[in-house]
Amino acid sequence: MLEINNLHAELETDADVTILKGLTLSIKPGEVHAIMGPNGSGKSTLSYVLSGKDGYSVTAGSAMLEGVDLLEMEPEERAAAGLFLAFQYPVEIPGVGNMTFLRTAVNAQRKARGEEELSAGDFLKEVRAKAKDLQIDADMLKRPVNVGFSGGEKKRNEILQMAMLEPKMCILDETDSGLDVDAMKLVADGVNALRSENRSFLVITHYQRLLDHIKPDFVHILADGKIIKSGGPELALEVENNGYADILAGAA
Amino acid sequence: MALAKLKQDATLARLAGITLPEGATWATAARSDALARLSAMGLPTRRDEYWRYTDPASLIVADAPPAALFDNGEAPLFAGVDRIALVFVDGVFDAAQSDDLAGAGIEIHRLADVAQRDIHWAKDLYGTLESRGQHPVERPLAALNTAIASDGIVIRATAKVQKPVHLVYLHQSETSDVTLHNLVRIEAGASLTLLETGPGAARLSTCLEVDIADAGQFHHIRAQGSDHERRAVTHCFAQLAAESVFKSFTLTFNGVLTRNECVIDMRGDDAVAHVAGACVGDGGDFHHDDTVFVTHDALRGESRQVFKKVLRNGAVGVFQGKILVKQGAQKTDGYQISQSLLLDDDSQFLAKPELEIYADDVACSHGSTTGAIDETALFYLRSRGVPMEAARNLLTLSFLAEALAEIEDQALAEELQTRLEGWLARRA
């Protein structure tokens, strides 16, 4: 599904700051991978570089989604190709209703893929059903995108977008940050409901907590722009119990 | 105050060529008074405080600069609304295209007719609010309008009027120079919605005087159309009695020069006045100026000014807004916001918000911002698959949404929203 090979990226504004230093990762259809790592290891940068945010330049390496070069595409083309990033800090957009936003996004992607746009009625039916599962009420759908939403509401709104857009490759950037236990469970249930043999996940997190709910197939430790250790779910437990120090020392 | 010689000479030279329209005694008196006011004030120049950001020269010259016609192929605005349409073609009333000058709970006349009559309620209003609105800030072009306007529409609402009155200003001559003066009187407890759509002329001057009695309501929705080279100067003077409501919204696109002045006098307690505007401008010859003056002279008045401008390719936007709270106007609630979205580095927004408060128990706030498209929001939209151009347009519309939200009638607001979407699409 996603093949990242020897990816190097630096800040566009400061070529001296290299953040990703040869990251390699292969995710197969249906797999859930988790990336953990200390602050500043490059976790969020990885999500931004993959989704095409301005401000980073890729100096070496590649990232392919189902054989297509992601790095050559505009952010909206990556989305239409099936990539989705659940933001760590979902953006507030005053003046744009959540429904309008969702419908514009869904139809833009369908159009880009040469599919027919969803009718207003079908869209409404689908969004209502999916919102209900995530306990998103009608009021939240009507309000401007993320404006006045609590931390939990924002994250649930991200998952609703994911559910509506039905991407192939989902990246969750610290989706657990700012969530209480109940909200995390709700979000995790939403993600788990979307797991399928054709859809893959890359879960970026600081803590093992989220991985209790979204069980990963593989866990990777990212440090200083590289994956320094990979393993199964037990690796996340090791981090939880001993911190990163041992692993970092072992890799050095 | 003695006028500077140069200004006086220029004013006299310009006014020498003017012949006042003929009419009944009261009309002639009102026009002569206006001309005298104008002579005393002098025509504006950029040296005047309220014309520092907008050059009035092309609004004043004897021969209006010509303006090419522009047809974007869109259907006329509000054509689907059940309304009383009154059509002016380059300032000339077109009875054939207009509906009957009649409706339930309403009296409608042409100014050209009532100005010939010895007795008509219009004589108490014509030039009265304009004259009073000359202090503390002079508005010479409004006095010029009162002096030379020979036609316009005069409306008196005596009940809650269901059908909006729609003044349609059509522009068909590239050299038309038009002056129209409209009067609206809302009797106690009555209400009226007035729609105005233009461009109207190569150069259009309109003056609207609105007198709202106790608990009357006046809703005003205006679209200043899309001819690129047109010029317009508009004045609205409103007087609000107790518990009355005044709400005005203006959408402006294109036009090389637009100056919209709105002067509101809140004289009765518990009155409400909202003035809002959205404008979109493209190109270095686009210049749009909103100048608003709200005077609170009664208890518990609520006023709102909400102005949003989207500017690109060197377009210039101006906002001069003032809230004056007079002594004794306690519990006034005054709000003012002016914001611009600059889509590039060449465009310019000039804002002069003013508060002047002489009462000690009031809540007044104002704000003014200038910004670019929010890059974070842009990326967020694109990451969801919305293409760059569509995402920019969505954010541009969202910026304007707060001003459009000031329109109470949802259907009318949506029609204007559609026009904005069309404008953005044409510029993609």
Side-chain angles (χ1 to χ4, degrees):
Chain A
M1 176 69 70
L2 182 66
E3 296 287 338
I4 305 171
N5 190 23
N6 191 32
L7 191 63
H8 286 69
E10 60 190 29
L11 280 183
E12 224 163 48
T13 48
D14 189 351
D16 290 340
V17 182
T18 303
I19 304 175
L20 299 179
K21 302 175 180 173
L23 190 146
T24 298
L25 179 65
S26 172
I27 302 177
K28 297 198 166 45
E31 289 179 354
V32 175
H33 290 236
I35 286 194
M36 303 179 74
N39 290 326
S41 57
K43 300 189 301 292
S44 284
T45 298
L46 173 63
S47 71
Y48 289 146
V49 167
L50 290 176
S51 54
K53 191 178 186 189
D54 283 344
Y56 303 94
S57 42
V58 173
T59 51
S62 66
M64 315 287 277
L65 181 68
E66 291 191 312
V68 182
D69 188 353
L70 270 183
L71 305 177
E72 284 297 310
M73 288 192 270
E74 295 295 331
E76 54 269 32
E77 294 168 338
R78 301 179 196 203
L83 186 75
F84 181 91
L85 169 64
F87 280 53
Q88 183 180 0
Y89 303 108
V91 181
E92 296 186 5
I93 311 180
V96 178
N98 214 6
M99 280 290 229
T100 309
F101 166 66
L102 273 170
R103 195 164 162 224
T104 307
V106 167
N107 281 334
Q109 292 203 13
R110 292 178 81 100
K111 198 173 159 198
R113 291 193 292 258
E115 299 163 13
E116 205 152 299
E117 292 191 1
L118 218 52
S119 77
D122 289 347
F123 170 80
L124 209 62
K125 216 185 291 169
E126 203 176 323
V127 86
R128 281 200 183 128
K130 287 178 172 165
K132 192 162 170 250
D133 293 340
L134 289 158
Q135 295 181 20
I136 290 174
D137 60 23
D139 183 52
M140 258 176 81
L141 289 173
K142 256 189 272 168
R143 270 151 55 189
V145 180
N146 292 326
V147 176
F149 287 24
S150 70
E153 287 173 334
K154 283 180 181 172
K155 297 298 170 78
R156 273 186 278 152
N157 203 29
E158 293 291 287
I159 305 306
L160 174 64
Q161 292 166 36
M162 189 192 285
M164 288 303 296
L165 294 168
E166 300 178 331
K168 296 170 189 160
M169 179 71 231
C170 309
I171 305 171
L172 278 65
D173 187 7
E174 302 203 19
T175 293
D176 48 343
S177 69
L179 293 188
D180 60 33
V181 180
D182 292 335
M184 187 172 348
K185 176 107 185 16
L186 201 57
V187 164
D189 287 349
V191 170
N192 287 330
L194 290 171
R195 286 180 74 158
S196 85
E197 54 185 27
N198 303 316
R199 184 173 290 135
S200 311
F201 289 83
L202 180 60
V203 182
I204 295 171
T205 180
H206 265 296
Y207 305 105
Q208 191 263 338
R209 254 185 345 178
L210 179 66
L211 304 180
D212 285 341
H213 299 291
I214 305 173
K215 298 241 176 345
D217 301 304
F218 301 94
V219 174
H220 312 276
I221 306 298
L222 183 67
D224 195 24
K226 272 189 286 206
I227 286 172
I228 54 164
K229 190 167 185 180
S230 296
E234 74 287 346
L235 188 55
L237 282 170
E238 191 185 326
V239 169
E240 183 75 2
N241 293 331
N242 306 329
Y244 291 112
D246 287 359
I247 298 168
L248 295 177
Chain B
M1 191 177 65
L3 281 182
K5 177 98 175 58
L6 208 62
K7 186 166 180 172
Q8 194 170 27
D9 290 348
T11 301
L12 289 176
R14 172 69 178 88
L15 300 187
I18 289 177
T19 325
L20 298 186
E22 287 181 15
T25 315
W26 69 265
T28 302
R31 286 162 175 158
S32 307
D33 287 354
L35 198 63
R37 273 198 294 285
L38 177 57
S39 304
M41 287 184 272
L43 287 161
T45 71
R46 284 202 85 161
R47 289 168 177 273
D48 297 324
E49 174 67 17
Y50 279 85
W51 290 93
R52 280 175 61 181
Y53 306 128
T54 298
D55 187 350
S58 66
L59 296 172
I60 292 166
V61 288
D63 296 315
L69 305 175
F70 169 70
D71 182 7
N72 59 28
E74 287 178 327
L77 263 171
F78 307 136
V81 177
D82 185 16
R83 72 213 152 125
I84 302 168
L86 306 170
V87 180
F88 288 88
V89 180
D90 290 303
V92 179
F93 185 72
D94 186 334
Q97 290 197 64
S98 299
D99 294 324
D100 290 342
L101 299 184
I106 191 170
E107 292 169 18
I108 308 172
H109 297 285
R110 281 176 58 192
L111 176 66
D113 295 333
V114 302
Q116 306 296 331
R117 295 195 210 165
D118 288 330
I119 300 172
H120 193 274
W121 63 264
K123 76 180 183 138
D124 294 329
L125 187 53
Y126 191 83
T128 305
L129 301 188
E130 174 263 299
S131 166
R132 201 186 289 141
Q134 298 291 352
H135 309 281
V137 178
E138 293 178 343
R139 305 172 198 283
L141 297 181
L144 177 64
N145 180 297
T146 302
I148 67 172
S150 59
D151 210 350
I153 293 293
V154 172
I155 303 169
R156 179 162 163 256
T158 54
K160 290 187 167 30
V161 180
Q162 296 304 319
K163 278 190 193 181
V165 173
H166 183 187
L167 304 182
V168 184
Y169 307 126
L170 300 180
H171 176 202
Q172 289 179 2
S173 152
E174 296 197 350
T175 55
S176 53
D177 185 14
V178 170
T179 303
L180 293 170
H181 197 113
N182 302 310
L183 302 178
V184 173
R185 161 110 186 127
I186 311 280
E187 299 295 352
S191 68
L192 176 75
T193 298
L194 181 72
L195 311 174
E196 283 186 283
T197 55
R203 184 171 69 182
L204 175 71
S205 164
T206 63
C207 182
L208 170 66
E209 295 180 272
V210 186
D211 183 16
I212 313 175
D214 290 353
Q217 292 212 8
F218 177 68
H219 295 267
H220 180 219
I221 294 147
R222 174 168 63 171
Q224 296 175 309
S226 51
D227 285 8
H228 292 282
E229 295 169 351
R230 61 150 189 89
R231 290 175 162 76
V233 55
T234 78
H235 288 86
C236 173
F237 297 91
Q239 164 174 285
L240 279 70
E243 295 176 29
S244 66
V245 173
F246 170 95
K247 293 191 179 178
S248 175
F249 174 87
T250 301
L251 174 67
T252 310
F253 27 153
N254 303 347
V256 284
L257 179 57
T258 309
R259 163 87 162 207
N260 294 329
E261 294 200 25
C262 190
V263 182
I264 297 171
D265 193 5
M266 306 182 70
R267 299 161 74 90
D269 295 340
D270 303 292
V272 174
H274 294 186
V275 199
C279 100
V280 288
D282 190 351
D285 52 4
F286 175 92
H287 188 107
H288 184 276
D289 176 331
D290 283 302
T291 295
V292 181
F293 199 115
V294 178
T295 303
H296 285 267
D297 198 7
L299 295 172
R300 298 176 298 275
E302 182 211 311
S303 73
R304 271 172 80 78
Q305 302 172 35
V306 179
F307 286 88
K308 301 262 192 170
K309 298 180 200 297
V310 173
L311 305 166
R312 59 189 270 180
N313 292 327
V316 177
V318 176
F319 173 77
Q320 309 184 95
K322 178 153 182 171
I323 305 174
L324 168 64
V325 181
K326 290 201 172 175
Q327 207 170 5
Q330 301 294 14
K331 305 285 182 191
T332 285
D333 182 359
Y335 174 73
Q336 178 195 94
I337 182 87
S338 65
Q339 295 182 304
S340 74
L341 176 65
L342 305 183
L343 296 179
D344 52 52
D345 293 340
D346 301 326
S347 302
Q348 215 185 115
F349 178 53
L350 303 155
K352 191 174 72 174
E354 292 179 280
L355 295 182
E356 194 176 331
I357 302 172
Y358 297 100
D360 59 6
D361 185 14
V362 302
C364 281
S365 59
H366 70 98
S368 183
T369 65
T370 295
I373 289 264
D374 179 352
E375 290 295 328
T376 321
L378 192 63
F379 174 64
Y380 190 63
L381 287 167
R382 294 177 74 196
S383 78
R384 298 303 182 246
V386 183
M388 179 72 142
E389 215 36 58
R392 285 178 72 96
N393 287 350
L394 199 58
L395 292 174
T396 303
L397 288 170
S398 79
F399 167 78
L400 294 169
E402 194 193 346
L404 280 151
E406 295 290 316
I407 304 173
E408 276 188 19
D409 187 310
Q410 209 49 44
L412 298 178
E414 277 168 23
E415 195 168 344
L416 293 184
Q417 169 94 8
T418 309
R419 291 306 158 108
L420 280 169
E421 287 166 11
W423 187 90
L424 287 166
R426 284 197 298 278
R427 264 145 194 82

